[in-house]
Amino acid sequence: MVGSGIKKFAAENGLSVKEGVAYGNYHGYMLTMLEGSGWKALAYAIKADATQRAVIIEYLSRADVKKEYRIIASAVEENFVLVKVQDTIGTMKVYTALAETLVAFLGAQTIPGSGICMHCGMEGATVPVLTPDGIVIPMHSACADTLNNTIAEQKEAANEKSNGVLIGAVGAICGGILGAIPWAIASYLGWFFSAIGLLIGFLAGKGYDILRGKQCKAKAVIVTVVVIVCVILAELTSSVLVVQSVFKDEGAYLTIGESIEAFGFFMQDSEFNSAIVGNIVMGIVFAALGAWGTVADIFKANGKSATYRKLD
């Protein structure tokens, strides 16, 4: 989504706002403006060869340019240049100045912009197309259709060789359990790390892929459920180990079975029960923070955003 600052700039410069971005022809180049938490970004569609890309990279890497425009990241590809800036007080002034400076720089390098298809490089009637990268570029309608057909064919071919959702779920469970081991250890020591939540999500997704599960939105749902279940099991396991450790300190050595039985007895105490439930909830929150990026990527890879969408 874009905020009021970008929407105002779009209205003043004849840009459109759709699909969460502002876009349109700006001084001879297709401009895309977008923003997120703590950042704003702009991108220009270009058709640049290796030498031209090197010139752009060198310019955006200059310390004075990065400082003046608060640049925190940039990417230069064959058909676009993307610059992300830090979003703080007064950013719109800097952001719009960057839009002016960068488009002037591209023009000075005679790098092609609007008027050609960013896929085939040929001139002719083009339409604005939102790419899976979230950047709008001009393309022939037929070229966008060709790319989408290729994506669909590749996905269909991969799913024909897949073992289905259930086998993939088995792999996700195995991966999730593997990722839950360090979580249980960290929880036993009284630590919570969202990074371990990322590990559980990553390994669950990787396990799904290793067993060649079907690539679909169900994968994201399975990974989400696996992360939650594995965190709960890891928290319960660490709690049982804590109980065993407490008895050991008192000179009583319990087996795992006896420790589980003792844990069940302690769970009847409301204060102890509340503490365990609180740990589980906190664990799920941290795991969600860590694993969200993985789950979001899976949804993106299997959703509408994985295609080339014509905006006009």
Side-chain angles (χ1 to χ4, degrees):
M1 300 297 292
V2 292
S4 58
I6 290 180
K7 288 180 179 178
K8 180 181 178 182
F9 180 88
E12 293 172 347
N13 291 276
L15 307 181
S16 301
V17 177
K18 191 180 296 184
E19 297 284 350
V21 300
Y23 68 93
N25 191 306
Y26 187 67
H27 298 306
Y29 290 85
M30 179 66 74
L31 168 65
T32 306
M33 308 182 89
L34 56 162
E35 64 183 302
S37 178
W39 58 267
K40 281 183 169 61
L42 61 85
Y44 283 109
I46 57 175
K47 200 66 177 174
D49 58 32
T51 300
Q52 291 170 325
R53 293 199 296 274
V55 171
I56 300 171
I57 291 172
E58 181 181 8
Y59 174 72
L60 293 175
S61 300
R62 281 170 40 184
D64 60 325
V65 173
K66 293 175 70 173
K67 181 179 180 180
E68 181 176 359
Y69 297 109
R70 305 177 186 175
I71 296 174
I72 55 178
S74 61
V76 183
E77 303 293 341
E78 182 181 0
N79 56 12
F80 70 83
V81 51
L82 171 71
V83 184
K84 182 180 289 188
V85 303
Q86 186 175 14
D87 192 2
T88 58
I89 297 174
T91 293
M92 273 307 299
K93 184 177 181 179
V94 175
Y95 180 67
T96 54
L98 173 62
E100 292 283 350
T101 301
L102 185 55
V103 76
F105 178 82
L106 296 173
Q109 307 303 316
T110 64
I111 297 173
S114 297
I116 63 172
C117 174
M118 292 298 157
H119 174 62
C120 69
M122 302 295 290
E123 296 182 353
T126 60
V127 296
V129 175
L130 184 64
T131 72
D133 295 310
I135 297 169
V136 181
I137 63 176
M139 292 178 62
H140 293 129
S141 180
C143 286
D145 291 338
T146 298
L147 288 173
N148 284 330
N149 289 337
T150 299
I151 292 172
E153 290 170 0
Q154 291 174 342
K155 186 174 181 180
E156 184 178 354
N159 282 333
E160 285 179 356
K161 298 178 182 179
S162 75
N163 292 318
V165 171
L166 292 179
I167 298 298
V170 173
I173 292 170
C174 293
I177 291 174
L178 186 62
I181 294 173
W183 184 281
I185 295 172
S187 181
Y188 175 77
L189 297 173
W191 301 333
F192 290 100
F193 294 111
S194 60
I196 306 181
L198 170 63
L199 178 64
I200 297 176
F202 171 78
L203 290 178
K206 183 61 68 175
Y208 187 98
D209 292 338
I210 289 175
L211 292 191
R212 294 188 301 176
K214 184 177 181 180
Q215 299 301 315
C216 57
K217 291 182 179 180
K219 175 184 176 182
V221 176
I222 290 170
V223 169
T224 300
V225 172
V226 166
V227 169
I228 294 173
V229 172
C230 283
V231 167
I232 293 174
L233 291 177
E235 285 295 327
L236 293 176
T237 299
S238 68
S239 298
V240 169
L241 293 177
V242 167
V243 169
Q244 187 181 49
S245 177
V246 169
F247 274 93
K248 182 178 179 181
D249 291 341
E250 296 297 325
Y253 295 87
L254 304 184
T255 65
I256 291 297
E258 291 171 335
S259 298
I260 293 174
E261 185 177 350
F263 173 75
F265 175 78
F266 288 135
M267 282 294 287
Q268 297 176 32
D269 179 78
S270 60
E271 186 175 343
F272 183 86
N273 189 296
S274 297
I276 296 301
V277 172
N279 284 343
I280 290 175
V281 171
M282 186 178 296
I284 291 175
V285 169
F286 273 84
L289 291 174
W292 168 245
T294 299
V295 174
D297 287 343
I298 296 171
F299 272 118
K300 182 177 179 180
N302 292 282
K304 187 173 67 171
S305 60
T307 62
Y308 289 80
R309 288 171 283 166
K310 303 171 192 176
L311 298 181
D312 287 354

